[in-house]
Every structure is written in structure tokens, then in C-alpha cells.
């Protein structure tokens, strides 16, 4: 997990992006963490970075990736649902009703794939929520 960002930093990022960061994710960045990586980027949530190009995504906010295959997580700003999709196709393959529901579900699931020392139990088992 990374240190939270300030409201000023989020506002600066929104100006650079030319879009508003959805409130639920803005609250997460400012009050919980400026992104994080679970088990060496098996799941990564992105925080304030210097460049994003989302010109073709009106109501979606890309917020994470899975290292295993580059699949993505995005926030649908119309309903605050979190969606999981393939690397090159934004069709939802799985969704959660909220950011907190996704985090709870994925952290429990991912921790079950690793032993107490943080080593993957079975390298042949995908670490994504859905096998693509």
C-alpha cells in the first residue's frame, strides 16, 4: 500500500487527465491508500500517476490490473460497480457491487492461492478472478 494523497494532488491529477476521478475511488486514494500491489502485483490498484489516456472511456475509470495476464479492473462511474475484463476487451467478465466488495473478495481469494511465506501454491493456477 502507498501513502494516501492529498485533495490537492487528486485535483492536479484530474486536471492533467481532463476527467473527474470517481468519488468512491477518490475517497480510497485520499483515505485508504494511493494504490497498492498484492502478492507482487498479482492485483495492482493504481494511484496518482503522471499519465493516463482514457479519452475513449466516458464512464469507466481504469483502476487496476492483474499481473498474471494483464487483465483489467475498472470502475463504472454510472453505478460505482467494479468490473473485471480481459486485457484488450472491456466486456465485463465479473463485477462487484462496490470497491470494498471487490477488495474483500479478491484479497481473500488471492491469499488462498499463496502459502504463509507468500509463495504461489500452484504456478499453473491462474491468479485472476475468472479464467480467460
Amino acid at each position: 500500500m502507498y501513502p494516501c494523497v492529498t485533495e490537492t494532488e487528486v485535483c492536479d491529477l484530474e486536471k492533467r487527465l481532463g476527467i473527474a476521478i470517481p468519488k468512491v475511488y477518490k475517497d480510497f486514494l485520499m483515505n485508504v491508500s494511493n494504490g497498492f500491489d498484492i502478492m507482487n502485483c498479482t492485483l495492482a490498484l493504481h494511484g496518482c500517476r503522471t499519465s493516463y489516456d482514457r479519452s475513449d472511456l466516458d464512464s469507466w475509470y481504469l483502476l487496476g490490473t492483474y499481473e498474471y495476464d494483464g487483465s483489467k479492473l475498472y470502475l463504472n462511474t454510472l453505478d460505482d460497480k467494479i468490473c473485471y475484463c480481459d486485457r484488450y476487451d472491456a466486456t465485463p467478465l465479473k463485477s462487484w457491487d462496490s470497491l470494498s466488495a471487490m477488495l474483500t473478495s479478491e484479497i481473500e481469494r488471492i491469499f488462498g492461492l499463496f502459502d504463509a511465506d507468500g509463495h504461489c501454491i500452484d504456478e499453473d493456477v491462474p491468479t485472476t478472478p475468472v479464467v480467460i
Side-chain angles (χ1 to χ4, degrees):
M1 294 185 74
Y2 304 107
C4 296
V5 294
T6 66
E7 187 170 1
T8 300
E9 290 170 310
V10 171
C11 289
D12 289 345
L13 178 60
E14 289 175 321
K15 287 177 188 173
R16 286 194 311 267
L17 295 174
I19 62 168
I21 295 172
K23 182 183 181 336
V24 65
Y25 201 59
K26 187 184 301 189
D27 289 345
F28 176 80
L29 293 172
M30 293 186 331
N31 299 304
V32 179
S33 176
N34 182 23
F36 66 81
D37 300 319
I38 297 174
M39 295 299 184
N40 194 27
C41 296
T42 297
L43 167 61
L45 289 188
H46 307 301
C48 288
R49 305 290 193 259
T50 57
S51 175
Y52 286 113
D53 180 14
R54 293 183 185 84
S55 57
D56 60 337
L57 304 175
D58 293 340
S59 63
W60 299 339
Y61 183 81
L62 179 66
L63 59 91
T65 57
Y66 288 83
E67 178 189 37
Y68 182 80
D69 62 358
S71 52
K72 312 280 186 225
L73 287 172
Y74 63 88
L75 173 71
N76 183 333
T77 61
L78 301 176
D79 59 12
D80 285 343
K81 287 188 177 184
I82 304 297
C83 298
Y84 166 74
C85 65
D86 189 16
R87 181 180 197 160
Y88 300 111
D89 181 349
T91 304
L93 300 173
K94 182 172 179 70
S95 66
W96 296 266
D97 289 333
S98 67
L99 179 61
S100 63
M102 183 278 296
L103 290 172
T104 300
S105 169
E106 284 300 271
I107 288 170
E108 285 180 11
R109 186 186 65 77
I110 290 169
F111 271 70
L113 299 174
F114 293 82
D115 64 21
D117 295 321
H119 298 103
C120 191
I121 294 170
D122 184 348
E123 295 287 334
D124 294 326
V125 174
T127 57
T128 57
V130 174
V131 178
I132 300 174

